[in-house]
Amino acid sequence: MAQPADAPLGSLYVFFSNGTLMQTSCVEVYRLSTWRPTGERSLTITEDTARIDAEVEPGERRMRLRLKLGGEWQPWKSLELLDKPFLCPDLRR
């Protein structure tokens, strides 16, 4: 899935079928977590020892994801399916 509008440049969320979630971007180091479905439109992500509940609105080429952090629901993130190679741009330092 591709970068949500409010995320760092080149944000990627990769949900592997084995329950691994990889999150990364052009400006951040990757993070590996686990995920599992908890309902038809919900899932749980485990980062280190933290459990994060999430709601999902699936679509054919897009999905929306909303996380519950610190007991509060965050705004929806729109994710798009990547269908072509992506290369992070050169960044000025």
Side-chain angles (χ1 to χ4, degrees):
M1 294 286 168
Q3 165 183 334
D6 62 343
L9 176 66
S11 290
L12 295 172
Y13 298 79
V14 183
F15 291 85
F16 292 97
S17 60
N18 71 354
T20 299
L21 169 61
M22 183 179 73
Q23 301 171 70
T24 191
S25 75
C26 294
V27 295
E28 297 175 315
V29 178
Y30 70 89
R31 170 187 277 281
L32 296 176
S33 307
T34 58
W35 72 277
R36 64 180 175 82
T38 55
E40 196 170 305
R41 293 184 175 237
S42 61
L43 57 94
T44 296
I45 299 168
T46 303
E47 292 183 351
D48 302 321
T49 59
R51 176 186 158 168
I52 301 168
D53 294 319
E55 292 181 342
V56 178
E57 287 185 356
E60 190 172 313
R61 307 264 327 141
R62 291 189 167 130
M63 81 176 212
R64 290 181 0 127
L65 179 70
R66 184 166 76 151
L67 305 177
K68 188 175 187 181
L69 302 173
E72 294 187 23
W73 287 103
Q74 303 301 302
W76 287 97
K77 294 182 182 201
S78 293
L79 305 173
E80 294 182 34
L81 183 65
L82 284 176
D83 59 357
K84 58 186 173 195
F86 174 81
L87 178 64
C88 288
D90 287 334
L91 301 174
R92 295 185 120 175
R93 293 182 191 230

